[in-house]
């Protein structure tokens, strides 16, 4: 083929809505020398049989941003690229059967308002006026979203493709990719049946074939893509005269799209009938066993219908909208939809592989496709995204996502597609993937467990008779069987000594000539002296917060870098990508466990068990024995009390843990730790510390050395921001919070205007107050400023506190 492109900047594998959107947005950013490969015709996968709903609703800030952008793009795209499209912004109503659901709607409504989406809460009577065919007798409330609607998926894909082509990008249909080769300089060759294409970057946008394509990247550091495939059915009814009459009476408009989220379905007007899409609990996975292998090509194919699975939901929908029962079913669509374990897509850098990206495993690809293309193009071209996108970052999953996990979690997520994500609730499927060496003892002591990057940790410790049922956690409130126990655990840390088992603390041994200089060129501040430890931060090119690590200096060119459990692969790649030849980055996370031993009696507890020098000052570290076992002690405490982290190999930890318990330490859990840390104003990664904020906005200027010679990422941006002044500032607030503490991204108000957002919130049991950390307009960040924090629809009075910890502001207890 004489016109076959042999070179490109980027090659995208997959021609659904996400692949074409990625190509379109790369071209919009000036990267027009990009190529998309599709093995069949465009839309041949999940795109072609998608229902085409385009909601903005989400309780995830990142997902709402992405979906909102999609609606804005789709409303102008047809005119922008001169391609006619059927896009109906009919609005939608979501039905709430319970007070808790109304609270969830209020939370989403506030987030939407902040992003410019004017959602409204309606009474059931108001909903009936606008949707006369609706039964409303058992409803608590209704959420209306005016920007919701539906679009023709094939037209959308073709419009994006036309726009990309018009700017100079190439699309090769019927050109399946067959493999990839990475070269020494990090560039790629993509192999096809028609020839090879050399390129700088590769994108896996292969939809439900993404796992198969992902296998090609394993020789270059890749892993098995965490995903599975669900069978999703929706049915179309015959036309209904009453629906046609309503549309004609309303100028040809459509009924609002209806979602009965407590029953788990959507119901949409389709022409003059209905489209019903259930998410049934008794769902079905496909291509998940050797007896049901994925075919080489499933383009434009469907499975036979299986209406027995959804019969109960169809019956309920007919009771909700009785008009639906007057019509027959004209067609059933039953096709494959990919699911990541949490139901969110994979967008961003491919873990472990340089110059490779993912934009795949989209469960709601039509709604998210526009925003996904924008995000991916920013990742590739700019090296950073406008919004913090950790919610969809492929590196959020690590090595625990085996086939069993992906199938069980995918089915759980599908069957609970509209379920509420309560703050004290843990989803039960596919648990116990990664266990601490003292897991059995923690459970014996009453540990009620949570999963953190696959690791099981105790959230709180139940006493005999405490309600540990899943049902007890179905509340947005602070109170529950855990509340008294968290209080007792915090008091033990305050008054005596607590011990927290913390498996999965991400650890990397960085060593070799040049390690120190490489780190100086990566982090924003300075490195500790040998024998010391300090916090270091890494920023992106805009000076925004990428990550925080504890830097433990063992030698001139030898470091242990410690970071959050979920950050394991994110921070591993950050370190590995900058280290020169001869410097190794060894991930030792799984071979070691950590105990936090903390409280005013912690020195006394440890003194009878260790040969360590317990008079050694704060932010020091040393090798020692504890309970006769080799260990490593670091004098820090995320709880803000006198304390140590005790690090040891897995085989040595059971004896250490038993000895510390026997000496009188009380076990405490992650909920107590969260309360303790927020009283100190300590930031949590990807809540308070996210790339939505710069280091200067985050109040981290003391960790920035603009006078050092190294040109670390973001240095110029931070210098510019320092000269111009920050627009936002990080604050601690005390809140008259009522029954619920402020969740992430609650709106902060003053005089009827949104002036910021919370980044985390919790009750502080040592200070006896509800605390929220957040970002507000810089001019308001003065102690004593009165604000309001909107918590599940209620505006609660808040006060900006001094820029110091609420508990032990001088750190006297910490340094004791």
């Amino acid at each position: 083929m004489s016109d076959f492109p042999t070179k490109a900047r980027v090659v995208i594998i997959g021609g659904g809505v996400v692949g074409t959107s990625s190509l379109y947005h790369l071209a919009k950013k000036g990267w027009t020398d990009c190529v998309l490969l599709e093995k069949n015709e465009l839309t041949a996968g999940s795109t072609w049989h998608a229902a085409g709903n385009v909601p903005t609703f989400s309780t995830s800030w990142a997902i709402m941003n992405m979906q909102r952008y999609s609606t804005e793009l789709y409303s102008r795209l047809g005119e922008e690229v001169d391609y006619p499209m059927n896009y109906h912004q009919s609005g939608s109503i979501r039905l709430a059967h319970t007070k808790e659901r109304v609270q969830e709607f209020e939370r989403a409504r506030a987030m939407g308002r902040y992003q410019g989406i004017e959602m409204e809460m309606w009474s059931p009577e108001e909903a009936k006026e606008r949707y006369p065919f609706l039964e409303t007798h058992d409803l608590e409330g209704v959420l209306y979203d005016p920007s919701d609607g539906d679009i023709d998926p094939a037209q959308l894909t073709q419009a994006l493709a036309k726009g990309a082509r018009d700017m100079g990008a190439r699309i090769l249909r019927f050109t399946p990719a067959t493999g990839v080769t990475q070269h020494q300089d990090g560039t790629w060759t993509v192999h096809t049946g028609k020839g090879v294409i050399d390129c700088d970057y590769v994108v896996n946008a292969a939809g439900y074939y993404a796992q198969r394509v992902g296998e090609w990247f394993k020789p270059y550091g890749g892993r098995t893509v965490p995903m599975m495939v669900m069978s999703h059915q929706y049915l179309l009814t015959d036309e209904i005269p009453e629906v046609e009459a309503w549309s004609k009476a309303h100028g040809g408009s459509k009924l609002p799209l209806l979602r009965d989220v407590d029953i788990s379905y959507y119901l949409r007007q389709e022409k003059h009938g209905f489209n019903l899409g259930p998410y049934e609990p008794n769902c079905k996975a496909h291509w998940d066993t050797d007896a049901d292998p994925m075919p080489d090509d499933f383009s434009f194919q469907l499975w036979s219908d299986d209406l027995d699975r959804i019969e109960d939901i169809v019956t309920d929908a007919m009771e909700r909208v009785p008009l639906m029962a007057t019509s027959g079913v004209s067609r059933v669509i039953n096709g494959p939809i990919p699911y990541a374990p949490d139901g969110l897509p994979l967008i961003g850098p491919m873990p472990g592989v340089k110059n490779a990206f993912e934009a795949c495993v989209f469960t709601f690809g039509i709604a998210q496709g526009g925003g996904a293309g924008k995000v991916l193009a920013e990742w590739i071209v700019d090296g950073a995204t406008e919004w913090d996108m950790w919610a969809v970052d492929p590196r959020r999953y690590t090595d625990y996502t085996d086939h069993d996990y992906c199938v069980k979690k995918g089915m759980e997520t599908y069957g609970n597609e509209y379920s509420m994500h309560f703050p004290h609730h843990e989803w039960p499927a596919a648990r116990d993937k990664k266990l601490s060496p003292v897991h059995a003892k923690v459970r014996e002591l009453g540990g009620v467990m949570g999963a953190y990057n696959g690791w099981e940790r105790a959230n709180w410790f139940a006493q005999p008779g405490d309600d540990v049922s899943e049902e007890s956690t179905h509340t947005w409130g602070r109170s529950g069987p855990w509340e008294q126990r968290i209080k007792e655990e915090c008091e033990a840390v305050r008054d005596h000594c607590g011990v927290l088992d913390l498996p999965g603390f991400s650890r990397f041994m960085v060593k070799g000539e040049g390690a120190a200089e490489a780190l100086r060129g990566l982090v924003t501040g300075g490195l500790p002296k040998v024998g010391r430890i300090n916090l270091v931060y890494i920023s992106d090119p805009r000076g925004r917060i990428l990550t925080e690590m504890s830097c433990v200096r063992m030698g001139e060119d030898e470091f242990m870098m410690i970071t959050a459990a979920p950050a394991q692969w994110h921070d591993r790649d950050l370190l590995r990508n900058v280290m020169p030849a001869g410097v190794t980055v060894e991930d030792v996370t799984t071979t070691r466990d950590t105990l936090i031993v903390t409280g005013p009696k912690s020195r006394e507890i440890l003194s009878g068990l260790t040969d360590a020098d317990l008079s050694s000052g704060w932010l020091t570290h040393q090798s020692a024995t504890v309970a006769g076992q080799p260990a490593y002690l670091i004098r820090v405490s995320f709880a803000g009390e006198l304390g140590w982290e005790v690090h040891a190999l897995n085989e040595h930890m059971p004896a250490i843990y038993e000895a510390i318990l026997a000496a009188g330490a009380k076990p405490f859990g992650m909920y107590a730790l969260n309360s303790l840390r927020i009283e100190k104003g300590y930031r949590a990664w990807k809540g308070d510390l996210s790339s939505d904020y710069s280091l200067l906005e985050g109040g981290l200027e003391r960790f920035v050395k603009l006078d050092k010679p190294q040109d670390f990422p973001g240095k110029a941006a931070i210098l510019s921001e320092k000269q111009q002044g920050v627009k936002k500032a990080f604050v601690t607030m005390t809140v008259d919070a009522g029954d619920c503490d402020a969740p992430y991204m609650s709106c902060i108000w003053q005089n009827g205007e949104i002036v910021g957002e919370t980044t985390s919130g919790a009750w502080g049991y040592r200070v006896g107050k509800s605390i929220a950390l957040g970002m507000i307009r810089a001019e308001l960040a003065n102690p004593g400023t009165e604000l309001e924090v909107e918590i599940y629809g209620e505006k609660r009075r808040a006060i900006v506190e001094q820029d110091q910890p609420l508990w032990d502001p001088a750190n006297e207890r910490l340094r004791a």
Side-chain angles (χ1 to χ4, degrees):
M1 293 179 62
S2 59
D3 64 342
F4 184 85
T6 57
K7 289 188 181 298
R9 235 174 181 179
V10 182
V11 171
I12 297 168
I13 300 170
V17 67
V18 175
T20 54
S21 177
S22 299
L23 188 71
Y24 173 80
H25 282 89
L26 283 166
K28 287 277 282 187
K29 290 182 78 68
W31 285 33
T32 56
D33 51 344
C34 299
V35 173
L36 182 147
L37 301 175
E38 166 54 46
K39 68 180 178 182
N40 198 286
E41 181 57 89
L42 296 181
T43 77
S46 295
T47 299
W48 85 273
H49 63 76
N53 297 330
V54 188
T56 59
F57 178 95
S58 179
T59 53
S60 161
W61 185 254
I63 295 297
M64 183 178 276
N65 260 320
M66 196 163 65
Q67 294 180 170
R68 171 188 54 78
Y69 174 84
S70 290
T71 65
E72 293 168 356
L73 172 68
Y74 300 167
S75 63
R76 67 175 188 267
L77 183 64
E79 185 176 339
E80 193 172 285
V81 303
D82 191 25
Y83 192 95
M85 288 194 303
N86 290 315
Y87 180 32
H88 310 105
Q89 286 189 287
S90 58
S92 73
I93 56 176
R94 287 175 184 260
L95 311 183
H97 293 236
T98 65
K99 176 175 73 75
E100 288 77 17
R101 184 66 79 174
V102 171
Q103 289 177 286
E104 181 201 45
F105 286 176
E106 288 285 12
R107 169 159 161 67
R109 179 188 176 208
M111 289 169 57
R113 186 190 295 114
Y114 202 170
Q115 292 192 17
I117 307 164
E118 292 300 326
M119 298 181 186
E120 301 172 19
M121 284 300 300
W122 289 350
S123 68
E125 293 74 25
E126 288 173 312
K128 179 82 170 178
E129 288 174 14
R130 294 163 171 85
Y131 199 118
F133 311 119
L134 183 67
E135 292 295 315
T136 61
H137 60 280
D138 57 346
L139 300 179
E140 286 281 333
V142 175
L143 178 71
Y144 174 65
D145 179 356
S147 58
D148 207 334
D150 64 273
I151 197 167
D152 184 304
Q155 290 178 344
L156 170 61
T157 305
Q158 295 295 346
L160 290 164
K162 181 179 186 298
R165 286 191 188 104
D166 288 349
M167 288 182 279
R170 297 287 303 275
I171 295 175
L172 304 182
R173 298 170 300 141
F174 304 103
T175 309
T178 56
V180 297
T181 302
Q182 189 169 43
H183 308 291
Q184 202 67 36
D185 63 357
T187 62
W188 294 92
T189 296
V190 179
H191 304 269
T192 80
K194 298 178 180 178
V196 300
I197 306 174
D198 295 324
C199 60
D200 298 323
Y201 304 97
V202 182
V203 178
N204 179 357
Y208 50 71
Y209 281 97
Q211 192 173 85
R212 187 169 287 180
V213 170
E215 295 298 298
W216 302 342
F217 295 87
K218 279 188 172 179
Y220 311 107
R223 86 303 183 211
T224 300
V225 175
M227 63 171 290
M228 52 84 71
V229 176
M230 290 298 302
S231 157
H232 176 62
Q233 300 180 95
Y234 64 90
L235 55 89
L236 304 174
T237 72
D238 295 326
E239 298 207 345
I240 301 171
E242 291 87 341
V243 173
E244 182 178 10
W246 187 93
S247 284
K248 286 181 177 177
H250 291 81
S253 61
K254 296 173 69 170
L255 287 162
L257 195 156
L258 184 153
R259 289 186 179 83
D260 196 338
V261 289
D262 290 310
I263 305 301
S264 196
Y265 66 86
Y266 68 82
L267 185 68
R268 187 183 93 201
Q269 181 179 334
E270 188 76 24
K271 296 182 180 176
H272 294 136
F274 286 114
N275 171 337
L276 173 67
Y279 290 90
E280 67 279 12
N282 57 326
C283 50
K284 180 176 178 56
H286 259 297
W287 305 333
D288 60 323
T289 65
D290 291 340
D292 180 26
M294 177 181 278
D296 288 335
D297 192 355
F298 201 70
S299 299
F300 299 113
Q301 295 183 59
L302 296 170
W303 293 304
S304 301
D305 58 31
D306 186 6
L307 292 178
D308 289 347
R309 283 207 327 259
I310 60 175
E311 182 178 0
D312 290 348
I313 292 179
V314 173
T315 300
D316 197 282
M318 289 178 173
E319 292 173 356
R320 181 64 58 195
V321 182
L323 192 62
M324 189 185 160
T326 66
S327 174
V329 174
S330 66
R331 191 179 178 203
V332 178
I333 288 86
N334 182 12
I337 297 183
Y339 264 76
D342 60 4
L344 302 183
L346 306 177
I347 316 172
M350 188 181 293
V353 186
K354 284 186 177 182
N355 300 335
F357 291 81
E358 291 176 335
C360 53
V361 198
F362 280 77
T363 299
F364 300 102
I366 306 305
Q368 296 166 1
K374 172 188 187 294
V375 168
L376 186 83
E378 290 169 349
W379 265 126
I380 295 174
V381 177
D382 304 327
T385 52
E386 178 184 355
W387 319 302
D388 188 289
M389 296 305 297
W390 179 246
V392 298
D393 194 310
R395 296 166 295 184
R396 71 188 187 273
Y397 292 115
T398 62
D399 56 356
Y400 61 94
T401 56
D402 57 15
H403 181 70
D404 170 77
Y405 180 88
C406 290
V407 171
K408 287 178 178 174
K409 293 303 285 187
M411 293 183 70
E412 179 183 62
T413 299
Y414 179 97
N416 293 278
E417 189 59 66
Y418 294 123
S419 292
M420 291 173 276
H421 294 262
F422 296 110
H424 294 98
H425 177 247
E426 294 282 340
W427 295 98
R431 295 295 294 275
D432 292 351
K433 287 298 178 182
K434 301 179 88 167
L435 303 181
S436 147
V438 298
H439 177 78
K441 182 65 178 179
V442 169
R443 293 298 302 270
E444 179 189 317
L445 293 167
V448 180
M449 311 305 286
Y452 297 81
N453 191 28
W455 291 94
E456 295 290 324
R457 295 177 178 172
N459 282 328
W460 60 286
F461 284 84
Q463 299 297 316
D466 286 347
D467 184 358
V468 295
S469 68
E470 194 176 347
E471 291 72 26
S472 72
T473 67
H474 291 175
T475 174
W476 302 109
R478 181 186 316 112
S479 64
W482 52 82
E483 186 179 22
Q484 178 62 24
R485 302 301 169 227
I486 298 170
K487 180 175 183 288
E488 292 164 357
E489 292 169 23
C490 291
E491 288 171 346
V493 171
R494 180 193 67 191
D495 299 334
H496 191 261
C497 178
V499 58
L500 170 65
D501 179 45
L502 202 67
F505 225 164
S506 302
R507 297 177 195 80
F508 309 98
M509 303 304 297
V510 181
K511 63 177 76 172
E513 186 177 350
E517 188 57 28
L519 283 173
R520 288 189 195 100
L522 177 65
V523 306
T524 61
L527 302 179
K529 296 176 181 177
V530 175
R532 304 282 297 181
I533 170 178
N534 64 279
L535 287 176
V536 295
Y537 290 85
I538 300 172
S539 74
D540 70 13
R542 303 160 302 173
R544 297 191 186 181
I545 305 164
L546 272 186
T547 197
E548 170 196 82
M549 300 188 197
S550 294
C551 178
V552 183
R553 194 163 191 174
M554 330 278 282
E556 285 300 323
D557 271 320
E558 184 177 353
F559 301 84
M560 178 164 61
M561 308 297 288
I562 306 174
T563 185
Q568 184 182 0
W569 281 7
H570 178 278
D571 287 2
R572 176 202 66 183
D573 288 356
L574 278 178
L575 291 169
R576 286 183 176 171
N577 288 346
V578 302
M579 290 301 155
V583 176
T584 59
V585 178
E586 182 187 4
D587 187 340
V588 296
T589 300
T590 59
T591 62
R592 291 159 171 78
D593 192 22
T594 303
L595 303 178
I596 293 180
V597 183
T598 185
K601 299 293 185 184
S602 57
R603 181 178 281 122
E604 186 179 315
I605 293 275
L606 285 171
S607 63
L609 303 174
T610 182
D611 59 359
D613 177 7
L614 298 179
S615 66
S616 183
W618 187 46
L619 302 179
T620 60
H621 55 90
Q622 59 187 301
S623 294
T625 60
V626 180
Q629 308 297 316
Y632 208 83
L633 270 66
I634 303 176
R635 194 171 158 196
V636 292
S637 171
F638 200 50
E641 300 282 354
L642 172 68
W644 285 262
E645 289 177 4
V646 180
H647 298 251
L649 292 171
N650 291 337
E651 58 266 32
H652 300 141
M653 193 55 88
I656 296 173
Y657 189 54
E658 290 279 6
I660 290 172
L661 290 170
K666 178 182 176 69
F668 69 103
M670 296 298 291
Y671 291 165
L673 183 64
N674 187 52
S675 169
L676 295 163
R677 70 95 189 167
I678 207 167
E679 291 173 310
K680 295 293 291 181
Y682 294 160
R683 280 72 153 167
W685 191 66
K686 287 306 176 190
D688 317 299
L689 300 171
S690 88
S691 62
D692 281 329
Y693 310 115
S694 73
L695 272 87
L696 299 186
E697 288 175 333
L700 302 171
E701 187 172 353
R702 67 188 184 280
F703 298 101
V704 179
K705 291 183 68 175
L706 291 170
D707 58 349
K708 70 176 184 177
Q710 293 82 11
D711 188 24
F712 57 85
K715 185 176 183 178
I718 293 172
L719 181 60
S720 174
E721 185 182 24
K722 184 174 172 60
Q723 292 166 345
Q724 295 176 28
V726 296
K727 295 177 181 176
K728 284 185 168 184
F730 181 85
V731 293
T732 298
M733 296 165 287
T734 50
V735 188
D736 296 339
D739 297 331
C740 306
D741 299 308
Y744 175 67
M745 284 293 169
S746 297
C747 292
I748 301 172
W749 294 79
Q750 190 185 60
N751 299 327
E753 188 179 4
I754 297 175
V755 296
E757 67 275 358
T758 62
T759 54
S760 58
W763 186 266
Y765 289 92
R766 289 177 297 193
V767 301
K769 295 178 180 179
S770 183
I771 304 163
L773 307 182
M775 286 284 184
I776 63 175
R777 290 181 188 168
E779 68 271 16
L780 300 176
N782 302 308
T785 300
E786 288 200 29
L787 303 166
E788 291 177 302
V789 175
E790 185 172 356
I791 303 176
Y792 303 115
E794 290 188 22
K795 291 180 182 176
R796 311 294 300 201
R797 180 173 177 269
I799 300 292
V800 176
E801 298 292 341
Q802 295 278 349
D803 185 17
Q804 62 185 23
L806 293 174
W807 177 253
D808 185 26
N811 289 328
E812 293 169 354
R813 297 168 67 94
L814 196 63
R815 300 172 186 268

